[in-house]
Amino acid sequence: MLLLLVCALVPFRADGTVMPIVLAGGSSYDISGHMEQFVDETGTMTLEGLLAGKAVRFVPISNNVEAGKGHQAVWVRMRVMRTSPFPGQAWLQLYPSYLENVTLYEQTGSDPTQAASYRRTSLGAIVPAAERPLVHPEFVAPIVLKPDGPGTIYLCVRSNTTLMLAGALHTLPGLISCTSKITIIDGGYLIMTLVLTVVNVLIFLRLRDSIYLIFAFWVLSLFCSALASSGMITLVLPAVSHRILVPLYGAGLGIGGLLLIALAMTMFETKRVPRLHHALLLVLGGALLALFFVPVATYGETVPFFSNAAFLLLFFVYRPEFRETTTFESGRMFFLIAYIFTFLAYTVQFLLAFGWIAMNWWWINTLYFVSIVDMVLMFLAFLNRLHMAEMEMVNLAKGAEQKAMQLASEMTLQLRERENRLELALAAKKITLEQQQRLIEMLSHEYRTPLTVIRGNIDIIEIMEEDNPEKYRNNLNAIQISIDRLIEIMDVSLEQNRIADKENGVDFERILLEPFLALQVADARIFWPRLVFNHAEAQGEHYLLCNPQYLKTAIFNLLDNARKYSIPDSPIEVKCSIEGDDAVIRIENQTAALAMEEPEVLFEKYKRGRNSANTSGAGIGLWLIRQIIGQHNGSVTLEHRDSGVVATVRLPLADQAEVNSSSLNNQ
């Protein structure tokens, strides 16, 4: 037991050689401090040459293998001695996982100086997973332990990346426990980076702020480099991991450094300082150039160099603000702290690349430990930026709301002013209409008085001329009809507004169609005895439901229009027919053709045709006719036919009119 304790605490012999690794009751033993190394500058030496070479001198190393950069090969030798509590087979675990070539020579024979006594096992990142002894994130191989003394193990390591090597010997339970820890730690890190990438992409899609997209790609680059350096890609893609592990690791580091510089330029708004901005663009170009060095694996030095150069440039330009941190918003402060941590991590990687600091598991994974802190700090910085953006949007929304309320208030005032003006205009119009109505009523009263006197005198003349009744009979009848017509026109004029308003009721009665229409034609012949009115009656008895006074006015106005616009000595045709449930009255006269657009226009108020220049009228007649016919649920149209114009009036017969009226009342 004392020997075991001494071997564990003092790994070097008095002559400077290392003590063997004594495997006892533990489950895991670190190989650090138990290794010797020989650097093959040519990189061509074989195991036979190594064992036979007299100039080969192994140098004890106190920690782990740290050969720095170069294309040489490093041979490592260590001795393992088993005691009875330890099982007969151990598992050798080696890392980091991005070493291209690792060849294991395990002593299986009795003579350690003969190459034939060793079993060769190929490990390394470029070895397909199926050809390794065990598919594992790191390099793992079984070691058969000698029962009668220490056994010798040789390792030949070649790599274009930074050449470092560390490891441990485990029992099977120890290996399972170690693998579980590695899987949990590395898997958790990878999941966290993926989640953070997705979250920032979603924030970018919401805000369209490029800094979130840059940050998302930077985190994604960390995911790629960690997937390679941890060896987890061997478990995820075992068939192709030997081809993409090393390039993915280098590309992840190179792109990460590139994006970190771009992130700093965006966060600190370096465009405000042109000289700094141009210098950082130069550094950015160098970092981009470093990506092309991935095939020759020089990114281990170039990426930390360019990233630290960018940090130093930022530090010297912004040092006044760094001293007075109160001038920084909290988001930038989080980012600044994260950038300082990143600077330190890249510095450690830079020193490790050249073997200037002792390697251990913590130093190797410094960048990933720091990246966790960076992601948290940067995420806090971006959350602060998001909060500020939301506050700005809230302020903009409040400003817009205030402007909208102000605009609404102004529009309300304008609407009120317009409403007041409209009410005043309506009141003025109402007063004007009332004055017009009073004037018409006054004129009607004054108009009726002389007409009554004329009618009375006509009656006296008729009495006085009883002895000669036929002498003036026709003239007196014409005067009498004209007086009655004038009185009817006045009554209708007084009720024009009532006719136009469809909500006001009109008193209807049943009348025979033909006698009513024949009477209107007879009156027209008396009024205009020189004109020829031809009347074609409909067969049978047909009733209309109408207001006789209004309908008489409409028919008389149509006859009057036919008279005014007829060619001299041409007849006026009045035809009546029954079409289905409608009575159709057509009044046709010979006149100039109507323009295509005229028929409907002529029914508008105060509109007259092109051939009305030499005739009296105000453009009210046809409008009034359509109003009256509309009150009777009928229609009136004008159309050109041959050499004349036909006015067509359609009115529902009494039975159909009563059905229509009943339907409207039920609705």
Side-chain angles (χ1 to χ4, degrees), residues 185-195 222-223 226-227 230 232:
I185 294 173
D186 293 338
Y189 179 86
L190 294 172
I191 292 172
M192 182 183 67
T193 54
L194 276 181
V195 170
L222 293 178
F223 169 83
L227 186 66
S230 65
M232 294 295 289

Side-chain angles (χ1 to χ4, degrees), residues 486-539:
L486 288 174
I487 292 173
E488 289 176 0
I489 291 174
M490 182 57 66
D491 291 338
V492 172
S493 297
L494 289 172
E495 296 189 22
Q496 259 185 28
N497 292 333
R498 187 166 178 261
I499 293 172
D501 189 357
K502 294 184 179 180
E503 293 183 358
N504 291 328
V506 179
D507 296 330
F508 288 166
E509 60 183 80
R510 290 171 64 93
I511 64 170
L512 278 169
L513 170 61
E514 284 304 329
F516 172 79
L517 186 58
L519 181 60
Q520 309 312 312
V521 175
D523 288 345
R525 288 170 178 163
I526 293 173
F527 266 101
W528 305 293
R530 296 181 180 180
L531 296 179
V532 177
F533 290 90
N534 296 325
H535 178 205
E537 298 181 351
Q539 299 298 319

Side-chain angles (χ1 to χ4, degrees), residues 97 133 214 259 294 451 463 651:
S97 302
I214 297 173
L259 292 171
V294 169
L451 289 177
I463 294 171
L651 292 169

Side-chain angles (χ1 to χ4, degrees), residues 239-255:
V240 296
S241 62
H242 60 286
R243 291 194 178 99
I244 63 175
L245 187 149
V246 175
L248 183 65
Y249 173 66
L253 283 180
I255 294 174

Side-chain angles (χ1 to χ4, degrees), residues 555-599:
I555 300 300
F556 191 87
N557 277 345
L558 287 173
L559 292 171
D560 190 22
N561 279 345
R563 174 194 65 84
K564 287 192 290 186
Y565 300 107
S566 291
I567 297 174
D569 300 327
S570 63
I572 296 173
E573 305 290 338
V574 180
K575 301 175 182 178
C576 182
S577 62
I578 304 302
E579 297 180 5
D581 294 328
D582 293 338
V584 180
I585 302 169
R586 292 184 173 89
I587 300 173
E588 182 176 354
N589 65 293
Q590 297 180 18
T591 185
L594 296 173
M596 292 299 294
E597 71 277 3
E598 278 192 352

